[in-house]
Amino acid sequence: PPYPVRLSGPVIKGFGRGSKDLGIPTANIPADDLSEKHPELTTGVYYGVVALDPKTYQHETSEGSTSTAVVLPAVLSIGYNPFYKNTVRSVEIHIMPALTEPSPTAAGQEGQTKFNRLPDFYKTKLNLLILGYIRPEFDYVSLEALVEDIRVDCEVARESLLREAYKCYLVDSGKMSGK
Ligand code: ADP
Ligand code: MG
């Protein structure tokens, strides 16, 4: 489909598995009218950017905290999570640290991956720009195999978003709110 694709909605409760089972929190937004509004979005894993409301996320800079929306890289899945055999489609977004921060998911010597964790922001409005497709959804033989693929997805997303052409999306210039 022609990217960017803009999705937005309130952050809703999911199945609660993201953090509990996987150690990977995913902000869920409603997916009800997705096939109607975005028939081009096939199930799979995508990358993009998310703008978080400054009230939600106090973003620290060298000058202290700012009140401008912060735009962060994200990986998301649209679909049924075959590993969990969901019957309804969901949109689940994992928000990563800014690209200027070290990647917590880069393969380290220790072998232990930490996924980014922010203070909870349920019910707030999330603005997402989908910028590209990574892969289809797969089923997995184990939770570990699933987590490893998500770790790789995070790295693919970060590498992609470092491309020059995406620079304009990583600063908030009203693109996210549709202004
Ligand atoms: P749920 O099944 O309700 O979506 P999760 O275990 O997936 O529960 O956790 C998601 C929630 O965690 C989000 O709604 C958000 O409030 C919070 N959260 C914390 N850090 C992140 C992050 N890096 N990316 C997305 N959501 C996060
Ligand atoms: Mg979730």
Side-chain angles (χ1 to χ4, degrees), residues 11-20 24-28 92-96 115-122:
V11 176
I12 54 172
K13 277 271 174 195
F15 297 99
R17 288 186 298 231
S19 310
K20 250 188 250 124
I24 311 169
T26 58
N28 296 38
E92 304 202 24
I93 304 148
H94 174 66
I95 301 169
M96 296 180 284
F115 288 87
N116 193 32
R117 165 119 245 158
L118 304 165
D120 279 355
F121 50 91
Y122 286 108

Side-chain angles (χ1 to χ4, degrees), residues 10-69:
V11 176
I12 54 172
K13 277 271 174 195
F15 297 99
R17 288 186 298 231
S19 310
K20 250 188 250 124
D21 282 14
L22 307 175
I24 311 169
T26 58
N28 296 38
I29 58 171
D32 325 312
D33 56 0
L34 209 62
S35 30
E36 196 185 305
K37 279 196 181 154
H38 296 284
E40 76 281 11
L41 288 177
T42 52
T43 61
V45 179
Y46 296 81
Y47 63 89
V49 294
V50 157
L52 278 183
D53 196 290
K55 288 192 286 294
T56 304
Y57 180 79
Q58 281 298 326
H59 145 71
E60 298 288 328
T61 66
S62 45
E63 285 93 52
S65 63
T66 65
S67 58
T68 51

Side-chain angles (χ1 to χ4, degrees), residues 142-156:
S142 70
L143 206 70
E144 290 69 32
L146 168 60
V147 172
E148 173 57 18
D149 260 14
I150 299 173
R151 190 190 68 72
V152 174
D153 294 333
C154 289
E155 287 311 297
V156 170

Side-chain angles (χ1 to χ4, degrees), residues 46-49 72-75 94-106 114-116 134 150-164 166 170:
Y46 296 81
Y47 63 89
V49 294
L72 294 171
V75 280
H94 174 66
I95 301 169
M96 296 180 284
L99 295 175
T100 50
E101 302 283 321
S103 166
T105 51
K114 288 286 275 176
F115 288 87
N116 193 32
I134 301 179
I150 299 173
R151 190 190 68 72
V152 174
D153 294 333
C154 289
E155 287 311 297
V156 170
R158 293 178 71 85
E159 284 301 316
S160 303
L161 291 167
L162 282 171
R163 299 205 293 255
E164 194 65 30
Y166 288 132
L170 285 148

